[in-house]
Amino acid sequence: MLNSSCRIQLESFEGPLDLLLYLIRRDEIDIYDIPMAHVADQYLEYIREAKELNLDIASEYLVMAATLTRMKSKSLLPIHRIDGEEEEDPGAELRRQLILYRTFREIAKELHRSEETWTDIYTSPGERERWSISNTSIEPGQTSLMDLLRAMDNLSEGETELPAQRIRRKLLTVSECIQTLDKVFHTGDQISFRSVVGLQASRTKIVSYFIAILELIRRGWVSFHQAYPFSEIELKRTERWTVDS
Amino acid sequence: MILDRLAREVEALIFASDTPLSIEQLCEFTGSGEDSVHQALDRLNKAFIDQQHALTIIEVAGGYRLATDKDFGAIVSQLFEGRKPGKLSRAALETLAVIAYSQPCTRMAIESIRGVNCDSAIRTLLERDMIRISGRMETPGRPLLYSTTRVFLEYFGLTDLDHLPRSSEIAELLSMSSSEMEEKDLFGEAGE
């Protein structure tokens, strides 16, 4: 029966379009002449089955179910043509989506094949790239958010020991961090992020200061420089800090 | 077979370089013309084959690199055990395919093609340096734009973005509206 054949399978689809393409192919349907009522029923059958199994149904599946139901009801009603007004085919947009998605699904398969081939080929020197990026100053756009996050990761790495007793957390606000920085950090000074937080800084302190630094960079009060991913972040106080505040 | 000076210079440069060397760079560093460098590369690869080396020079990500023969993939992989990340998931590959052909593009654009949320796939691809944030689109909300990286090209053994499979066909497909698509029979025998 149909019921057993679609059991659990919802999870193996990459979304509603993937599922639709499967149904279209299984029932040998012509994409340019989709029997809306039939496809909508088949699709809803899958969704219902997944619901019965208490599977989490991603909202995208439900949106598609609603779209298909609407298209099905439209296809069952007689078409009223108003003169001079072209009736828009609701199926056209769906077909466009299906065609595009199917193409990219094929490309993904091709990429997977290249991946299989190239996984056995090792180029020299590979990893050396990581530390070979020249030490010149970084231009906007050269580093990404990911680099900052990794540097952040690096900072909190050494800190794995968990406290054995309950300790009241000292709250450190971002504005406090900025105030402290304002006192110790003079225009033109250059300091490293590590020296700002100190070597044995708590995670809270690192996070607070990091957010403070991000805020200062955003305001243009501090400029920063990082030679390469994971490395120390060098900070420099700009004149704008004194001018703006 | 004794290799000439130029071929050995090219070999040394490619071996020591940290990034793929383009033909222009090889010409500049050796002070030779493009034709002679190409011929030197051929001589090198021929020497590798003649002497049954496990190495060969390949063209990838816009330049030349020394690479091990795929027959030795299993033995070399031992060096990177636990360090080499696993294969990409289907979701990640599909997302990457969309970005590769329509870059720079927003998360919205990717999701409208795949029909599903792509957050986690994008995160995986960013973490693996396959894509990068290349800017923001100047529309309301200023969404982030994503582009592929050189790591992506190297990972899939692509010379450059023009060498993506079926690139002109897909560029045309992406630019078509739904009514234009209706006129073309795109759902023929291909694929599936």
Side-chain angles (χ1 to χ4, degrees):
Chain A
M1 266 307 286
L2 182 83
N3 280 6
S4 55
S5 71
C6 59
R7 238 169 235 289
I8 336 169
Q9 281 187 7
L10 201 55
E11 281 188 323
S12 65
F13 290 105
E14 281 295 331
L17 293 171
D18 201 20
L19 170 56
L20 264 184
L21 284 173
Y22 164 77
L23 293 173
I24 286 168
R25 194 183 139 221
R26 188 195 61 186
D27 298 347
E28 291 172 7
I29 290 166
D30 175 8
I31 191 80
Y32 287 102
D33 189 22
I34 302 176
M36 263 347 287
H38 173 76
V39 171
D41 289 345
Q42 297 293 306
Y43 183 92
L44 288 170
E45 184 66 36
Y46 260 83
I47 303 297
R48 213 169 290 135
E49 188 73 13
K51 253 188 185 163
E52 269 169 35
L53 289 164
N54 281 325
L55 291 180
D56 243 353
I57 304 170
S59 55
E60 297 95 350
Y61 282 102
L62 300 178
V63 173
M64 179 62 79
T67 312
L68 290 173
T69 311
R70 203 192 75 213
M71 284 167 67
K72 176 187 169 183
S73 54
K74 263 199 171 169
S75 75
L76 297 175
L77 290 170
I79 303 164
H80 289 291
R81 279 206 194 281
I82 305 160
D83 279 333
E85 225 175 279
E86 188 81 25
E87 183 80 12
E88 210 181 292
D89 180 6
E93 184 48 36
L94 181 64
R95 272 194 287 280
R96 183 183 119 87
Q97 272 193 305
L98 286 171
I99 290 167
L100 272 179
Y101 176 67
R102 203 188 68 156
T103 311
F104 281 107
R105 206 178 62 172
E106 283 163 15
I107 295 294
K109 271 187 206 153
E110 273 188 56
L111 286 179
H112 178 68
R113 278 194 292 273
S114 312
E115 185 183 34
E116 292 284 327
T117 311
W118 285 83
T119 193
D120 281 337
I121 294 172
Y122 292 82
T123 56
S124 166
E127 278 302 296
R128 259 191 274 161
E129 277 171 42
R130 285 241 164 268
W131 41 260
S132 67
I133 299 162
S134 63
N135 222 349
T136 53
S137 81
I138 290 174
E139 299 295 316
Q142 234 180 307
T143 40
S144 66
L145 186 63
M146 288 311 282
D147 294 327
L148 277 173
L149 289 172
R150 279 193 198 123
M152 174 80 202
D153 239 21
N154 223 25
L155 270 176
S156 47
E157 222 164 54
E159 205 224 357
T160 43
E161 259 180 58
L162 293 167
Q165 71 206 73
R166 226 186 153 78
I167 298 169
R168 193 176 291 273
R169 196 174 7 169
K170 198 173 159 270
L171 276 174
L172 185 61
T173 66
V174 172
S175 55
E176 274 167 17
C177 292
I178 295 180
Q179 275 166 24
T180 314
L181 279 170
D182 190 19
K183 278 181 211 141
V184 298
F185 196 14
H186 305 289
T187 307
D189 272 4
Q190 195 165 337
I191 51 172
S192 66
F193 183 63
R194 198 180 287 268
S195 71
V196 166
V197 295
L199 282 176
Q200 232 108 64
S202 67
R203 190 165 293 180
T204 326
K205 193 174 175 191
I206 296 171
V207 173
S208 305
Y209 272 96
F210 188 73
I211 296 171
I213 297 292
L214 286 180
E215 173 62 20
L216 290 169
I217 291 169
R218 191 185 66 80
R219 294 187 197 167
W221 293 3
V222 160
S223 66
F224 78 102
H225 164 99
Q226 190 184 29
Y228 52 89
F230 304 108
S231 76
E232 189 54 79
I233 306 170
E234 298 286 346
L235 305 160
K236 198 172 184 176
R237 178 171 172 156
T238 67
E239 275 135 22
R240 275 188 63 187
W241 194 336
T242 327
V243 176
D244 287 356
S245 58
Chain B
M1 178 183 176
I2 295 162
L3 284 170
D4 54 294
R5 175 83 193 174
L6 177 61
R8 288 160 67 212
E9 282 176 356
V10 168
E11 185 180 26
L13 284 166
I14 293 174
F15 171 76
S17 173
D18 51 354
T19 52
L21 283 177
S22 67
I23 199 83
E24 291 79 17
Q25 283 171 306
L26 287 172
C27 291
E28 187 196 328
F29 296 140
T30 58
S32 310
E34 222 168 275
D35 284 347
S36 355
V37 171
H38 272 300
Q39 283 158 17
L41 285 164
D42 289 344
R43 282 199 296 281
L44 273 170
N45 270 337
K46 188 168 180 304
F48 282 136
I49 295 165
D50 287 350
Q51 295 162 30
Q52 305 210 345
H53 276 272
L55 297 176
T56 166
I57 291 170
I58 53 162
E59 194 183 0
V60 67
Y64 291 91
R65 277 213 136 155
L66 212 51
T68 59
D69 195 284
K70 66 175 183 325
D71 290 350
F72 302 96
I75 198 155
V76 178
S77 71
Q78 298 175 97
L79 288 171
F80 307 105
E81 233 164 61
R83 279 192 282 161
K84 204 180 175 188
K87 303 243 170 75
L88 293 167
S89 67
R90 224 185 112 188
L93 283 168
E94 283 183 12
T95 307
L96 193 53
V98 178
I99 297 174
Y101 289 86
S102 39
Q103 60 184 299
C105 65
T106 62
R107 190 172 58 93
M108 274 278 284
I110 305 163
E111 288 179 349
S112 80
I113 288 177
R114 288 195 63 224
V116 282
N117 183 295
C118 298
D119 272 342
S120 71
I122 289 175
R123 209 174 316 127
T124 309
L125 293 170
L126 280 171
E127 274 164 14
R128 293 194 51 174
D129 283 332
M130 294 281 166
I131 58 169
R132 64 189 174 91
I133 295 165
S134 55
R136 283 179 184 278
M137 195 177 233
E138 293 306 329
T139 53
R142 302 185 70 234
L144 293 170
L145 288 165
Y146 300 97
S147 300
T148 56
T149 61
R150 204 188 61 215
V151 174
F152 159 74
L153 292 175
E154 288 188 37
Y155 188 78
F156 292 100
L158 293 159
T159 325
D160 51 48
L161 288 173
D162 294 334
H163 281 75
L164 283 168
R166 299 156 65 186
S167 69
S168 55
E169 176 202 330
I170 288 165
E172 192 190 352
L173 210 54
L174 281 169
S175 65
M176 270 193 254
S177 70
S178 52
S179 55
E180 282 169 324
M181 255 188 208
E182 293 294 285
E183 287 155 26
K184 263 193 145 183
D185 186 13
L186 294 157
F187 247 80
E189 299 299 308
E192 292 292 323

